[in-house]
Amino acid sequence: MNSKEAAASLGYAEKTLRESRVTGKLAGVTTPPYIKRGQRILYDGNDLLEWSSQFRKITNTAQSSI
């Protein structure tokens, strides 16, 4: 998927995802892997799912501060 689609699937602005490729960090961790083909940036959907699975799931906002 392209950068715009990847950003939407992760819940980030495309600009945020673009900036993360420069800094190497997104949400405080290493950015999801991507492929660069010429000017195009492509993400594999499975890579995005794997990347997002590292975050702890919570059921209410009280858990987010633990």
Side-chain angles (χ1 to χ4, degrees):
M1 65 182 69
N2 65 33
S3 187
K4 184 175 184 175
E5 295 165 333
S9 77
L10 294 173
Y12 290 96
E14 185 178 8
K15 180 182 179 193
T16 302
L17 191 57
R18 183 173 50 248
E19 289 172 355
S20 77
R21 291 193 298 267
V22 174
T23 65
K25 295 286 184 186
L26 180 63
V29 297
T30 303
T31 58
Y34 62 92
I35 299 167
K36 185 168 182 179
R37 290 200 179 138
Q39 297 285 326
R40 297 184 67 202
I41 301 293
L42 302 171
Y43 291 87
D44 181 284
N46 291 326
D47 288 340
L48 296 180
L49 285 173
E50 186 177 327
W51 180 85
S52 64
S53 71
Q54 68 186 306
F55 298 100
R56 186 171 61 95
K57 294 177 176 81
I58 60 173
T59 58
N60 63 57
T61 56
Q63 291 178 320
S64 65
S65 62
I66 297 174

